[in-house]
Amino acid sequence: MQTNFTPDQLKDPATASSEKILRTCVHCGFCTATCPTYLLLGDELDSPRGRIYLIKDMLESGKPASAEVVKHIDRCLSCLSCMTTCPSGVHYMHLVDHARAYIEQTYTRSWHDRLLRGLLARILPYPKRFRVAMGAAILAKPFKGLIGALPVLGTRLRAMIDLAPTHMPAHSPLDQPGTFKAAGERRGRVAILSGCAQPVLEPGFNEAAIRLLNRHGIDVVQPKGEGCCGALVHHMGREEQGHAFAKNNIDAWIAEMDGEGLDAIIITASGCGTTIKDYGFMFRGDPAYAEKAARVSAIAKDITEYALTLDLIEPVRETDFVVAYHSACSMQHGQAIRTEPKTLLKKAGFIVKDVPEGHICCGSAGTYNLLQPEIANQLRARKVANIERTKPDLIATGNIGCMTQIGKGTEIPIVHTVELLDWATGGPMPKNLEKAGFQARLAQPLTIAAE
């Protein structure tokens, strides 16, 4: 694609990077075939190719973003399916992130949009605040019909209430700084991301990961000062806030890397993993953080990536459970992790089925299902229908957002991949399977796992 940026514009590192990305696009349109919003809406401007044209014109003009541009960029899920499909290697993620930051700097949103986005940015990344907000949403569930009927904000507020759990999970005793020691001889040492929303909604994921790693000889440290990875606000265009979160994590992990050392930084939420692996790019021009960020990104691993490097013990119990594996967009497109989770699940004794249209987003996408609930609900219905076509006993995935989104649309229990791996090698049954009565369907244990 030909571009027409001025030399002065290209002095800005973000613009220079976007200009290189724009020039790699050859207008082929392969991306339109896999873009969820284009499939639903049929509007060229709601396809990656259309958005690329809008972003190019916006950045080249140097003018504030227009309402039309904002509408179509806001509709983008950042699922990155287009990047998997693109034969030219267009790095759409970096381009749309730049566009969102530009919109945040130049466009004045409506008062209700500013209010809602501001609340999300001030609540979701902070576990204590988020826990209070979830409590309020649970109390509001009986009134969601009335709330949903409110003008302007009603639809989005109802989406928030619908996505809230029916009860507040207990606080995990493991969700605190400290080191969780390996069982037996130590084979490695890793850090684990606690994060922000996940420890409030599903604290059991990291508990399962810690048990699994400890069982296989890995010390797990949760560093002091570590928290939200910055992804939620970064993808809302709030660069400064996102970078501040990222710096806190970088400092916490570098202290461990330069102290006792780390073999990896383990992430159990694939949306966070995509962002942390991109820290090196995010801080490429920061003299104080460029080298540190690159070091962190280099050892960031999804739990399934790291687990595949371990010699997992043989399953201690047999099941004939059929698992529909839902590959989160941030997993398959953002990190190009496609076979590892399925390989591990099969080794653990599960029958794994791929989901039809598995490359199409479920509609979660960070805050997307809160900000664009109508489109998100259509995508969820499509995803659930495809999952149910496989007739599984349960669903496995590696991202809290997908679990929350899909779980609201089906009665099939959904669990994190690491919960199944932990269970198969000696851990407790995932709580969602317990609730669904899976205990009665179990075969007898083969052995007793050594903890």
Side-chain angles (χ1 to χ4, degrees):
M1 177 181 289
Q2 184 177 359
T3 59
N4 294 289
F5 290 95
T6 68
D8 282 343
Q9 286 177 313
L10 294 176
K11 289 178 182 178
D12 173 53
T15 302
S17 175
S18 290
E19 193 264 352
K20 290 179 182 178
I21 296 169
L22 289 166
R23 290 178 70 87
T24 61
C25 179
V26 296
H27 323 277
C28 67
F30 277 90
C31 57
T32 61
T34 59
C35 175
T37 50
Y38 182 72
L39 292 179
L40 287 182
L41 304 174
D43 188 335
E44 173 75 10
L45 295 181
D46 285 315
S47 75
R49 183 171 62 181
R51 293 186 180 107
I52 285 171
Y53 279 114
L54 292 175
I55 293 169
K56 174 182 178 293
D57 290 343
M58 176 179 69
L59 296 179
E60 281 183 341
S61 73
K63 296 178 181 178
S66 67
E68 180 76 358
V69 171
V70 172
K71 178 178 73 172
H72 295 293
I73 299 301
D74 281 355
R75 286 179 178 172
C76 175
L77 294 124
S78 282
C79 70
L80 309 181
S81 182
C82 55
M83 286 180 56
T84 297
T85 308
C86 180
S88 302
V90 177
H91 205 302
Y92 180 82
M93 181 177 80
H94 290 160
L95 184 65
V96 77
D97 282 348
H98 180 204
R100 287 184 169 129
Y102 187 91
I103 288 169
E104 186 70 13
Q105 294 164 7
T106 66
Y107 183 73
T108 301
R109 295 180 178 273
S110 63
W111 68 266
H112 49 86
D113 209 12
R114 294 198 306 273
L115 174 64
L116 187 59
R117 287 170 176 270
L119 284 173
L120 293 175
R122 287 170 175 82
I123 292 174
L124 292 181
Y126 305 93
K128 291 181 180 178
R129 300 178 193 176
F130 185 45
R131 184 173 288 274
V132 172
M134 285 298 95
I138 291 170
L139 293 174
K141 280 185 177 292
F143 311 103
K144 67 179 183 180
L146 291 174
I147 294 172
L150 292 173
V152 185
L153 285 172
T155 301
R156 289 172 165 183
L157 291 175
R158 175 164 182 161
M160 294 179 185
I161 295 168
D162 280 337
L163 287 167
T166 55
H167 68 279
M168 184 65 66
H171 185 81
S172 171
L174 304 186
D175 185 24
Q176 58 184 322
T179 299
F180 307 95
K181 293 292 187 179
E185 181 181 357
R186 191 178 93 168
R187 298 169 54 193
R189 185 175 189 266
V190 302
I192 191 165
L193 173 72
S194 174
C196 51
Q198 182 170 288
V200 176
L201 292 171
E202 292 287 353
F205 297 171
N206 272 15
E207 291 176 354
I210 291 169
R211 284 193 302 265
L212 179 72
L213 294 168
N214 286 169
R215 189 178 299 123
H216 289 83
I218 308 299
D219 278 359
V220 182
V221 60
Q222 196 156 278
K224 185 177 181 180
E226 172 269 326
C228 176
C229 70
L232 289 172
V233 289
H234 176 70
H235 294 306
M236 292 170 69
R238 295 171 176 255
E239 272 192 332
E240 186 176 347
Q241 186 181 4
H243 284 198
F245 285 127
K247 287 179 178 180
N248 286 337
N249 285 349
I250 291 168
D251 289 340
W253 290 326
I254 288 293
E256 294 293 341
M257 293 167 72
D258 290 344
E260 291 189 48
L262 293 176
D263 301 310
I265 297 165
I266 302 299
I267 302 140
T268 56
S270 62
C272 300
T274 301
T275 295
I276 292 168
K277 289 181 178 182
D278 203 45
Y279 279 0
F281 176 84
M282 288 168 61
F283 291 97
R284 66 198 181 282
D286 188 322
Y289 278 87
E291 186 266 341
K292 293 189 290 186
R295 288 176 60 196
V296 164
S297 292
I299 66 166
K301 302 287 183 185
D302 183 78
I303 180 62
T304 56
E305 279 184 287
Y306 188 74
L308 202 60
T309 69
L310 304 174
D311 186 16
L312 294 188
I313 64 177
E314 290 299 312
V316 301
R317 52 178 57 88
E318 289 182 335
T319 79
D320 59 354
F321 295 152
V322 176
V323 178
Y325 175 68
H326 164 72
S327 185
C329 296
S330 47
M331 188 83 84
Q332 61 175 311
H333 304 310
Q335 301 181 57
I337 299 172
R338 300 185 179 94
T339 62
E340 293 89 333
K342 294 186 288 185
T343 298
L344 289 165
L345 289 171
K346 290 174 183 176
K347 184 177 179 181
F350 298 97
I351 300 167
V352 181
K353 289 192 175 182
D354 290 322
V355 176
E357 289 191 334
H359 60 287
I360 299 297
C361 185
C362 68
S364 173
T367 59
Y368 192 92
N369 52 1
L370 304 177
L371 296 172
Q372 300 282 341
E374 295 92 346
I375 296 174
N377 289 345
Q378 292 179 64
L379 289 171
R380 175 171 57 206
R382 186 172 183 145
K383 177 64 67 177
V384 167
N386 278 316
I387 289 172
E388 292 181 345
R389 282 172 56 193
T390 69
K391 301 187 184 305
D393 296 304
L394 60 123
I395 307 162
T397 189
N399 192 51
I400 178 62
C402 299
M403 282 193 66
T404 303
Q405 174 76 350
I406 295 169
K408 295 298 181 181
T410 182
E411 295 299 317
I412 301 170
I414 183 166
V415 299
H416 196 292
T417 305
V418 76
E419 292 184 291
L420 293 179
L421 300 178
D422 173 48
W423 178 41
T425 57
M429 175 181 282
K431 64 177 180 61
N432 281 353
L433 298 190
E434 280 190 353
K435 292 176 182 177
F438 274 53
Q439 190 66 44
R441 300 173 54 184
L442 276 179
Q444 292 297 313
L446 299 175
T447 61
I448 297 175
E451 288 289 337

